[in-house]
Every structure is written in C-alpha cells, then in structure tokens.
Amino acid sequence: MAELTIALAKGRLLGPSIKIFESLGYELRDARDSRKLVIASNGARFILAKPMDVPIYVEYGAADVGIVGQDALRESGTNVYEPLALGYGACRLVVAGKPEFQNAEWKMLAGLRVATQYPRVTKQYFSARGLSAEIIEVYGSVELAPMVGLADLIVDVVDTGRTLRENGLVELDEIFKSQAAFIVNRAAHTLRANEIRELMEKM
Ligand code: AMP
C-alpha cells in the first residue's frame, strides 16, 4: 500500500502538530524551515495546506488523515471522520460588535451586516435563530469591518480577546469552542484501519 498521507494545517496549529509527529520519530525539519509542501519521512508523506483546505484534501482522499482546527472543519462542511480532539489550538468562534450592540437587543434587529471568514457557519448560526443578516465574506482582519462601516457585526475566532479589545469591539455571543482535531478520510478509515488506529494510539 502507498505511504500514509497526513495533511497538516499551516498557521497556528503547525508548530504543535510538527512536535507531535517529531515525538513519534518523523523528521519534519523541512516543514518548519523550508517552503516544501510535501515532505516524505519514515514511511509517511506529510502535506502542508491552508487550514480551510485540509478537510477538503482528506474528504477527497488526497490525504488519508489530517490535523485541522474544528473551526475550519465546521466551516468546510466536509464529510470526514473526526475521531480525536487533540487538546491544543484552543480558540472560540464568536459574534462580536461595537459596545452599543451589547445592550441593544441586536438579535431583534433585521438586516444586520456581518463580516466573516466563516460564511457557512455564520449563515447556520443566524438562520437557526430566525435572524436575517447579510453575510459579507472577507479574507482577513475581520475586526476592521465594523470600524469603517462595512459591517455591524463580525463572526471570528478569538483567542485572548486582545484583538477585539484593541479594536473597540465586544463579544456578543459564543458560537462554539474549537481545538485541533484529527480527521480521517471515510474510505481510509476502513481500508487502512490498523495503520490509522496505531497512529491514533501513539498520538
Ligand atoms: P486574540 O487577539 O488573541 O483574541 O486573537 C484573535 C486574532 O487572532 C483574530 O484576528 C483571529 O482571527 C486570530 N486567531 C485567534 N485564534 C486563532 C486560531 N486558533 N486560528 C487562527 N486564527 C486565530
């Protein structure tokens, strides 16, 4: 059988994910120090992808397994197994806005504009509550949107809360908590069950 292919999310989770696999005996210096996107080591193949893309590589079987934040996983809407939460990369996906929304019944307001990098999760959140909102997808620095009048609210991940604070925003609601997750392609879960179980036990 071909070597097991493991997709790792670049960004905040990459450092801790590399550490896990290094502690299992894989040589991943290139994942840290080079721009290589595919790294072979010790009978496995690692691919480095943007967080939102990791679930897609795993769903289509281009990777057998992967490590990705639950935020990106939920947003991707992909059909993969998620057998293990890894306990690092903790953050929260929240609704935030200017302080005036804290006391206002913002949930009663119609036609709010919400800027986010998580349009799918945001749509689910608002429609599950019967709220009408216009979702504006941006590609970064979401906190900027309310300051310059692009949007009333944002949906974004928060870690310490510092970015919200420094940009005059307050948290209005928590949508879910997130951490790093180990995900598995559905076919590989059956066809490579032993290999994947062994890997999970070691992790
Ligand atoms: P903080 O100021 O610590 O609350 O961090 C918030 C900023 O960092 C926001 O701009 C987020 O988009 C980003 N951020 C926080 N946690 C994560 C995470 N786990 N993954 C990706 N981005 C994050």
Side-chain angles (χ1 to χ4, degrees):
M1 217 184 301
E3 64 216 318
L4 193 73
T5 299
I6 301 166
L8 301 181
K10 295 200 273 190
R12 291 184 185 223
L13 297 184
L14 186 59
S17 303
I18 288 174
K19 274 207 188 114
I20 290 181
F21 286 102
E22 283 180 336
S23 74
L24 301 181
Y26 296 96
E27 162 60 60
L28 287 174
R29 203 177 321 137
D30 276 352
R32 249 192 262 278
D33 303 338
S34 86
R35 299 203 175 181
K36 276 194 193 163
L37 300 173
V38 181
I39 296 156
S41 172
N42 203 2
R45 186 166 63 145
F46 292 84
I47 63 178
L48 307 185
K50 290 267 188 192
M52 296 279 191
D53 291 337
V54 167
I56 297 172
Y57 281 89
V58 172
E59 178 175 49
Y60 283 90
D64 300 297
V65 301
I67 294 182
V68 66
Q70 289 166 336
D71 57 329
L73 179 59
R74 295 269 286 268
E75 178 61 26
S76 75
T78 47
N79 185 7
V80 296
Y81 286 111
E82 186 192 348
L84 199 61
L86 297 170
Y88 59 92
C91 60
R92 298 177 309 116
L93 195 77
V94 306
V95 183
K98 289 189 179 165
E100 62 237 42
F101 282 107
Q102 207 161 26
N103 303 318
E105 294 284 328
W106 63 273
K107 286 188 179 170
M108 307 295 285
L109 300 174
L112 290 173
R113 290 199 295 189
V114 188
T116 187
Q117 299 185 85
Y118 297 83
R120 177 192 294 262
V121 171
T122 301
K123 186 160 184 261
Q124 283 166 356
Y125 172 89
F126 281 89
S127 56
R129 285 161 185 74
L131 305 172
S132 76
E134 183 184 348
I135 296 163
I136 303 174
E137 187 172 357
V138 295
Y139 291 94
S141 301
V142 182
E143 296 84 0
L144 179 61
M147 298 178 71
V148 297
L150 175 65
D152 304 295
L153 305 176
I154 64 170
V155 167
D156 197 20
V157 283
V158 168
D159 179 10
T160 62
R162 186 171 164 198
T163 307
L164 289 185
R165 254 192 327 274
E166 292 192 356
N167 290 291
L169 301 174
V170 296
E171 184 177 327
L172 301 170
D173 199 6
E174 178 178 296
I175 303 182
F176 58 73
K177 292 188 197 334
S178 173
Q179 60 176 296
F182 181 73
I183 60 173
V184 181
N185 170 267
R186 294 204 157 249
H189 190 261
T190 307
L191 297 172
R192 309 189 73 144
N194 291 338
E195 260 172 292
I196 291 170
R197 186 169 0 92
E198 246 174 64
L199 177 62
M200 279 171 47
E201 280 164 9
K202 285 192 272 179
M203 290 172 79

